[in-house]
Amino acid sequence: MGILLATLTAGLGSALPASADETPTKASPKVELVLDVSGSMRTRDIDGQSRMSAAKHAFNEVLDAVPEQVQLGIRTLGADYPGDDRKVGCKDTKQLYPVGPLDRTEAKTAVATLAPTGWTPIGPALLGAADDLEGGDSTRRIVLISDGEDTCGPLDPCEVARDIAARGIHLVIDTLGLVPNAKIRQQLTCIAEATGGTYTAVQHTDELSGRVKQLVDRAAEPVVTPVATKGADSCTDAPELKPGLYTDREKFAEHRWYKVELLAGQELRASVSVFADRAVNNDYGMLLRAVTTHGREIVRGSESGTGRTDAISSGLRYPKPEQDDDDAKPAAETVCLQVSNSFSAPASVKTTPGMPLELTVDVVDAPDEAADVAAFGLGHGWWLLGLLTLTGLIVGLLFGWISRWRIAVWRTR
């Protein structure tokens, strides 16, 4: 009904002349890319080139792909002051390209002039970027690309991010780290989480450009805001989830339960991601199970890995068959969703709070063939198996007949 009403309203709006009371068009989203240009960006460890060269290459690709409706700006940190005066170096941040309609040639020219120079004043740069994005009620996003920790304490960039979030201006900060260092990872993760953003470790040029493009596109088409929930220790006490996106936190090696109501003829689609926001041991895995209220497993999805990771995900689908009796009221079934993980961490790593968890739940009309769940897989392949068997029998008979004929001919000679 809501979709139909929106469609009719849009149609009437296009047919009527514009008036002073007409709802204004949605404001263009704003994005500012904040690039670390400190001296450490000279290091050559990304695809055989310097970190600065990789960043420039990625920026050129990103600038070519920025959606037309996005107002984009660029700010640098550590780009101008090469000296040893900490007080001066910690003020070294400036807006390289103003937030607004993008002139791709002008922006690329500005980026091309950058050379690794000075300090790493992340906190001041975030404050400057927040000021650059002020005004209006559009979506606002900062994308920070850095290869090091802030060198301008005691101004803690994590506290700066919390202060920005407290302003209530709906500004999200996403961070990308170019060095797989635990301290850098911790600081950049803290900055991102303070504003509801994401942290990503990138070690290749294509990863950098791909992730930045994704974040800029996300600003243009904002994703659904996740709803905070809290899983339970059992299905009985679990929160009932409607279709949507949910966030929670799960401790190491913990089981958390949620439940969903499903009618006959509907299909449950669920997926979950657990984000390793701290150092973890090499071997890990996760499990997403759909279970009846009596404990019988319906279906499961699992994933495992080894080595360093930022996230691990899994999903499942469960089509509930239609009822045979059309006159009967559709019976609802409570499906219990269990999310488990086998992460562990070194003794020096804090295990609280739990790791961020993102759970997506969707309920749709099941496809026609969903009622015959057992028919999936080999069930539809019996005809092929029969054909292969018949073909083998015929070939065997022909081969035997030809062999006997050749032997008979040989004996007559």
Side-chain angles (χ1 to χ4, degrees):
M1 178 64 73
I3 296 174
L4 177 59
L5 182 58
T7 304
L8 290 174
T9 303
L12 289 172
S14 62
L16 294 173
S19 67
D21 297 330
E22 190 175 34
T23 303
T25 57
K26 187 176 179 180
S28 298
K30 297 178 180 179
V31 179
E32 183 147 85
L33 307 180
V34 179
L35 179 60
D36 182 348
V37 196
S38 60
S40 58
M41 290 290 283
R42 299 189 194 96
T43 307
R44 302 179 65 87
D45 59 357
I46 298 184
D47 299 331
Q49 58 184 330
S50 70
R51 297 170 188 170
M52 191 72 247
S53 296
K56 287 182 177 181
H57 178 79
F59 265 52
N60 284 338
E61 291 193 355
V62 169
L63 292 172
D64 282 335
V66 173
E68 291 295 332
Q69 69 270 34
V70 172
Q71 297 187 52
L72 185 128
I74 303 172
R75 173 171 283 272
T76 61
L77 59 98
D80 297 312
Y81 178 69
D84 297 326
D85 189 328
R86 181 189 186 89
K87 191 173 182 180
V88 177
C90 288
K91 294 180 180 178
D92 185 10
T93 177
K94 71 173 185 180
Q95 191 174 46
L96 184 72
Y97 186 85
V99 178
L102 181 64
D103 183 322
R104 288 173 169 78
T105 302
E106 187 178 336
K108 287 181 180 180
T109 301
V111 171
T113 63
L114 296 175
T117 302
W119 295 64
T120 312
I122 293 177
L126 293 178
L127 288 173
D131 291 340
D132 296 340
L133 295 170
E134 275 190 348
D137 57 356
S138 62
T139 301
R140 280 165 280 192
R141 197 172 214 104
I142 294 172
V143 181
L144 169 66
I145 301 103
S146 179
D147 72 337
E149 286 185 277
D150 183 277
T151 55
C152 292
L155 184 62
D156 183 355
C158 192
E159 290 298 327
V160 168
R162 293 192 183 106
D163 290 342
I164 290 173
R167 296 183 188 179
I169 58 176
H170 308 295
L171 191 157
V172 174
I173 303 174
D174 297 290
T175 60
L176 290 87
L178 305 182
V179 177
N181 175 284
K183 287 187 176 181
I184 296 171
R185 177 190 180 97
Q186 182 178 7
Q187 185 174 84
L188 294 180
T189 298
C190 182
I191 292 169
E193 287 188 348
T195 61
T198 60
Y199 163 75
T200 307
V202 292
Q203 294 180 289
H204 299 284
T205 306
D206 57 347
E207 291 175 349
L208 178 59
S209 59
R211 182 57 174 161
V212 177
K213 283 180 189 176
Q214 186 182 55
L215 293 172
V216 173
D217 288 344
R218 185 174 292 182
E221 299 178 5
V223 296
V224 177
T225 302
V227 176
T229 188
K230 188 174 182 180
D233 294 331
S234 66
C235 182
T236 304
D237 302 322
E240 182 178 333
L241 304 183
K242 302 297 183 183
L245 180 64
Y246 298 88
T247 59
D248 198 356
R249 281 189 176 271
E250 185 172 59
K251 296 178 182 177
F252 286 77
E254 186 181 22
H255 306 286
R256 293 186 81 76
W257 290 88
Y258 314 86
K259 57 189 175 186
V260 180
E261 290 294 311
L262 194 65
L263 297 175
Q266 291 184 326
E267 179 174 279
L268 169 63
R269 300 177 181 178
S271 63
V272 65
S273 296
V274 175
F275 300 91
D277 60 347
R278 67 206 76 176
V280 297
N281 291 330
N282 281 341
D283 297 311
Y284 46 81
M286 67 165 301
L287 173 69
L288 174 63
R289 293 201 308 154
V291 181
T292 68
T293 52
H294 302 294
R296 178 179 62 83
E297 182 176 291
I298 303 170
V299 65
R300 67 165 56 194
S302 61
E303 189 59 69
S304 61
T306 184
R308 187 176 167 282
T309 187
D310 290 322
I312 184 170
S313 307
S314 185
L316 58 80
R317 295 174 61 178
Y318 167 48
K320 182 173 173 58
E322 291 276 9
Q323 292 181 190
D324 294 333
D325 187 358
D326 295 335
D327 297 328
K329 184 179 179 180
E333 176 186 6
T334 298
V335 179
C336 306
L337 290 176
Q338 180 192 26
V339 178
S340 309
N341 77 80
S342 61
F343 279 96
S344 61
S348 59
V349 174
K350 292 182 179 180
T351 58
T352 55
M355 295 176 293
L357 175 155
E358 193 169 86
L359 177 64
T360 303
V361 174
D362 196 12
V363 176
V364 299
D365 292 333
D368 294 339
E369 66 271 17
D372 188 12
V373 178
F376 290 149
L378 184 60
H380 290 312
W382 281 113
W383 66 270
L384 180 60
L385 184 60
L387 178 61
L388 292 174
T389 302
L390 180 61
T391 302
L393 178 62
I394 294 173
V395 170
L397 289 174
L398 287 174
F399 182 77
W401 181 81
I402 293 172
S403 298
R404 287 195 297 272
W405 176 75
R406 292 180 63 187
I407 292 173
V409 171
W410 179 79
R411 285 178 176 175
T412 57
R413 290 182 177 179

